[in-house]
């Protein structure tokens, strides 16, 4: 399941550089996560790095993008050029 950033985001900028998949970018008003690039950090880390650093805890799972660990790993292999 990809993660998403809610409108509680305070644009503090700390999550963007932590994402190993470059899935986070500045949107029109708040930061946004590209669900095609977010693997929940599967393939890189045990825990979602953005969630670890967000000071206002505004990065939940995105119910619109349900994926299990195997699907997240498959996504990681594709976007990292290993599949
Ligand atoms: S969970 Fe990982 S891959 Fe997904 S947006 Fe956060 S830092 Fe990037
Ligand atoms: S760390 Fe949280 S508050 Fe800061 S920009 Fe990212 S989502 Fe927004």
């Amino acid at each position: 399941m990809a993660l998403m950033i809610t409108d509680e985001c305070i644009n503090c900028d700390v999550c963007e550089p932590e994402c190993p998949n470059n899935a986070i970018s500045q949107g029109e008003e708040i930061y946004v996560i590209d669900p095609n690039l977010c693997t929940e950090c599967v393939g890189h880390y045990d825990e979602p790095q953005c969630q670890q650093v967000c000071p206002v805890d505004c990065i939940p799972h995105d119910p619109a993008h349900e994926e299990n660990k195997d699907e997240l790993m498959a996504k990681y292999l594709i976007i990292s050029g290993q599949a």
Side-chain angles (χ1 to χ4, degrees), residues 51-73:
Q51 281 184 335
Q52 304 283 312
V53 299
C54 181
V56 295
D57 205 14
C58 69
I59 316 181
H61 287 101
D62 181 353
H65 294 96
E66 297 243 12
E67 292 156 304
N68 63 32
K69 280 269 189 297
D70 288 344
E71 290 169 322
L72 291 167
M73 180 57 82

Side-chain angles (χ1 to χ4, degrees), residues 5-15 25-32 54-56 58:
I5 294 173
T6 73
D7 60 10
E8 289 169 51
C9 171
I10 57 171
N11 290 313
C12 73
D13 308 331
V14 303
C15 58
S25 61
Q26 174 81 68
E28 278 188 29
E29 293 183 1
I30 56 173
Y31 277 81
V32 293
C54 181
V56 295
C58 69

Side-chain angles (χ1 to χ4, degrees), residues 39-61:
T39 64
E40 280 186 51
C41 287
V42 167
H44 293 280
Y45 301 104
D46 290 337
E47 300 289 338
Q49 297 300 290
C50 54
Q51 281 184 335
Q52 304 283 312
V53 299
C54 181
V56 295
D57 205 14
C58 69
I59 316 181
H61 287 101

